[in-house]
Amino acid sequence: MLNPPINRMGGKSRLRKRIINMMPEHTCYVEPFFGAGWTFFGKEKSEVEVINDVDKELINLFRMLKEHPEEVERVLKYEIIARDSFKEYKEMNIEHMTEIKRAVRYLYLINSSFAAKGGSFGYGALKKPNQKIFNQDFEKLRDRLKNTYVENKSAFEIIEKYDRPGTLFFCDPPYLGTTSYQDEFTLEDHIILRDILSNIQGKFILTINDHERIRELYKDFYIEEVQVMYSISREKEARKGYGELIIRNYENTEENRKKDNKLL
C-alpha cells in the first residue's frame, strides 16, 4: 500500500481501507476527482485505471511522476524547507517553466504549506517540516502510474467517457457548503453529478460531507455514515470528528461488511 506524494484538503487517508474493502469486482477503475489519490495508491492495480482532475498543475505533477520520476527526484534532491524558497516558488511564472519544473514547484508548495493548500508557508515549533519531498520513492510511484490513463477534463466528461458495465468509479468531489477548494463545485454541479451517476452502466462509490441536501439527493442509493477526524487546524480544540457519507449504487457484500467491521 503506497502513500501519495502530496496531501490535499479532504484526502481519504483515514477512510481508504474501508473504501477499498467495499469495492466490488471490476475491470476498469476510475477516479474523476483525483486529488492526492489516497485510495488509488492504496488499492491493488485494476486491469484498466484512470485518474482525472481539473487542476492542471496537479495532473501535470502525476504525469511527470509517471514519465520523468528520476528528473523530478534530481531537482528536489538538494531542496530545503525554507520560507524564502516557498515565496520564490509561489511567485514563479509557470508559463515560462518546463513541465518538470512546474511539477517540482507544485510538489514543494503543497507539501510546505499550511493545511496542504499551497497558500501560506507551513511551520510549527513542535513539529519538524513535512518530509514528503525528501522521502519519496519515485520509482514505486512511477510503476504504480505507468499503466494508468492520466486525464485533465471535467469529472462529468470522464464518467461518460469511461462508463461500462465493468467500470467502478470512486468519486470524491468537493464537499458541499465549504470554501476550501480552489475549483468551485456548486449545488447545481452536485445535482448534475447525481443525475449522471444515477444512469451509469457501472458502479460507483462516492464520499462526501454529511449534508442534508446530499442525503436528499442520494436518498435512493445505499448511504453509510462515518466519523472522520481531521486535524488541519493549529488550534487543538478545533480538531474534531466530522460526519461523512459513503454512498453506493450497489449493495455491500456480507464478506465486505465483515471487513468493514474490523476497521471500526
Side-chain angles (χ1 to χ4, degrees):
M1 181 175 284
L2 287 175
N3 288 335
I6 60 172
N7 292 323
R8 288 271 285 196
M9 181 69 179
K12 288 296 169 285
S13 60
R14 294 171 177 81
L15 274 182
R16 68 172 173 175
K17 287 184 179 180
R18 178 184 289 272
I19 293 166
I20 292 167
N21 280 337
M22 63 174 58
M23 288 182 178
E25 292 185 3
H26 58 278
T27 302
C28 179
Y29 175 78
V30 183
E31 290 201 18
F33 306 89
F34 190 58
W38 278 97
T39 302
F40 171 84
F41 286 109
K43 66 182 286 295
E44 295 294 325
K45 292 181 181 180
S46 301
E47 185 172 336
V48 179
E49 295 185 314
V50 183
I51 63 174
N52 175 76
D53 204 281
V54 294
D55 186 337
K56 290 183 179 181
E57 294 310 300
L58 172 72
I59 288 302
N60 178 70
L61 167 64
F62 285 107
R63 193 162 60 83
M64 291 302 100
L65 291 178
K66 176 182 178 181
E67 298 173 2
H68 305 289
E70 65 289 332
E71 187 63 13
V72 174
E73 182 176 16
R74 185 191 68 80
V75 176
L76 278 171
K77 187 173 183 180
Y78 299 105
E79 193 55 85
I80 61 172
I81 303 300
R83 190 181 297 273
D84 287 345
S85 297
F86 183 91
K87 184 174 183 291
E88 181 180 348
Y89 271 121
K90 191 167 180 60
E91 293 177 352
M92 285 180 176
N93 186 344
I94 62 174
E95 294 182 2
H96 302 143
M97 298 170 64
T98 65
E99 292 177 323
I100 291 172
K101 189 65 174 179
R102 280 169 49 203
V104 170
R105 173 185 180 272
Y106 188 89
L107 191 63
Y108 186 95
L109 289 177
I110 292 298
N111 287 330
S112 303
S113 59
F114 175 65
K117 294 181 180 180
S120 60
F121 182 67
Y123 65 94
L126 301 178
K127 65 175 184 178
K128 62 184 178 182
N130 190 322
Q131 299 296 295
K132 275 186 177 289
I133 67 169
F134 305 120
N135 299 332
Q136 297 293 335
D137 191 329
F138 289 97
E139 288 301 318
K140 284 186 177 180
L141 292 172
R142 190 274 309 274
D143 289 343
R144 184 66 185 84
L145 288 162
K146 67 181 180 180
N147 292 324
T148 302
Y149 293 109
V150 181
E151 298 269 21
N152 177 219
K153 297 182 178 296
S154 78
F156 307 143
E157 184 177 350
I158 289 297
I159 294 172
E160 293 176 348
K161 183 181 295 289
Y162 288 97
D163 183 31
R164 300 289 188 279
T167 300
L168 171 64
F169 297 96
F170 170 57
C171 298
D172 184 31
Y175 291 173
L176 181 61
T178 64
T179 58
S180 300
Y181 297 90
Q182 177 180 348
D183 299 295
E184 185 180 13
F185 204 79
T186 65
L187 174 58
E188 289 71 24
D189 291 323
H190 278 284
I191 293 173
I192 293 172
L193 177 62
R194 187 278 314 271
D195 291 344
I196 293 174
L197 292 175
S198 296
N199 293 286
I200 61 173
Q201 302 175 65
K203 295 181 173 64
F204 77 81
I205 301 172
L206 181 142
T207 53
I208 192 72
N209 56 320
D210 191 350
H211 191 287
E212 180 181 2
R213 194 70 175 91
I214 294 293
R215 285 181 177 269
E216 180 183 343
L217 286 175
Y218 289 94
K219 64 181 184 298
D220 295 328
F221 297 91
Y222 297 97
I223 299 178
E224 295 182 19
E225 180 182 344
V226 293
Q227 289 290 315
V228 181
M229 181 66 71
Y230 289 117
S231 57
I232 65 168
S233 175
R234 290 192 177 104
E235 301 299 327
K236 184 176 181 180
E237 59 270 19
R239 303 174 187 178
K240 58 183 180 180
Y242 292 87
E244 293 205 15
L245 303 177
I246 303 177
I247 304 171
R248 310 181 313 278
N249 65 341
Y250 62 92
E251 186 175 8
N252 206 2
T253 65
E254 181 63 28
E255 179 181 358
N256 284 346
R257 282 196 293 270
K258 288 179 181 179
K259 291 180 182 177
D260 282 347
N261 288 336
K262 293 179 180 179
L263 299 176
L264 295 176

